Amino acid sequence: HGSGYGLFLTRGEAALSLSAAREGNSAPMVRMQFSGANPTTDVSATEKLAGRTIYFIGNDRSRWLRDVPQFGRVCYASLYPGIDLDFYGHEGHIEYDFTVAPGADPQKIQLQFHGADNLQIANNGDLVLAAAGREVRFQAPHVYQKSGSREDPVAGSFVLLANGRAGFEVGPYDRSRALVIDPVLTYSTYLGGSGN
């Protein structure tokens, strides 16, 4: 979670809960589902952090949670054939990296959004959604291949697909090496309203 949002990860989707516009309103939820993905993908937490969390919620002490470990990354192994997905936070933003193994097809990745409408690609390549009077923006993907410590850039962008889905279009690259597609959830802002 971060300032103004919470992210919930399940086997088949990432659900972004935005803070309510006004006190008493329900928080809008944008769900990003992985269309056509492996329904039995292995989801695991990695990069264990030093801190622990305690949840004292409600009056029933038997339901309180203590010593809950914290992790810096959630990994989806083989979400699509030869494609893994990692979620992590970086400098206040949510990032998610698709790692495409040599020979795998990045066009298998298809993102279906629920709780948002007016899906479009902005002039700068960002994927933009409208959700409950807010703009949710996914930064144009940074696509690259690693060569030692160097990142070799690869042309890539979001592309709109049928039935309100989005995917990625990738330029020529060395298919004998892994490819990383790295979009970022940059921000969500109000499209209008009373100035709250």
Side-chain angles (χ1 to χ4, degrees):
H1 57 84
S3 178
Y5 70 86
L7 181 68
F8 304 90
L9 300 173
T10 69
R11 191 175 304 278
E13 69 180 13
L16 183 69
S17 174
L18 306 172
S19 60
R22 292 197 172 97
E23 198 170 319
N25 289 2
S26 61
M29 179 83 69
V30 175
R31 293 169 34 232
M32 181 175 72
Q33 294 182 328
F34 314 119
S35 294
N38 174 7
T40 60
T41 187
D42 180 37
V43 181
S44 61
T46 63
E47 297 182 6
K48 192 170 185 178
L49 302 174
R52 298 226 171 224
T53 304
I54 301 171
Y55 294 95
F56 295 135
I57 300 173
N59 295 326
D60 183 355
R61 289 176 178 252
S62 68
R63 301 192 63 173
W64 291 354
L65 301 174
R66 295 174 175 83
D67 247 6
V68 178
Q70 297 178 12
F71 297 87
R73 189 175 288 260
V74 175
C75 304
Y76 290 68
S78 298
L79 181 65
Y80 294 97
I83 301 174
D84 297 339
L85 170 63
D86 290 349
F87 278 92
Y88 56 97
H90 180 71
E91 296 181 0
H93 299 297
I94 300 168
E95 294 200 33
Y96 55 105
D97 293 356
F98 290 97
T99 302
V100 182
D105 183 3
Q107 291 187 336
K108 295 279 187 193
I109 302 166
Q110 296 189 15
L111 307 175
Q112 176 80 52
F113 294 91
H114 299 279
D117 52 23
N118 198 26
L119 186 67
Q120 59 184 320
I121 297 175
N123 290 337
N124 67 352
D126 290 358
L127 180 67
V128 183
L129 301 80
R134 290 190 181 197
E135 181 180 88
V136 178
R137 188 173 284 257
F138 294 85
Q139 191 175 59
H142 171 54
V143 183
Y144 62 92
Q145 293 185 289
K146 286 203 168 197
S147 181
S149 61
R150 189 181 78 229
E151 291 181 2
D152 298 329
V154 174
S157 62
F158 281 109
V159 62
L160 297 180
L161 306 170
N163 302 318
R165 290 173 288 134
F168 300 99
E169 190 173 86
V170 177
Y173 68 97
D174 180 355
R175 293 184 176 268
S176 69
R177 295 164 47 206
L179 176 76
V180 178
I181 302 172
D182 178 12
V184 179
L185 175 64
T186 52
Y187 58 82
S188 62
T189 57
Y190 293 106
L191 295 173
S194 65
N196 276 358

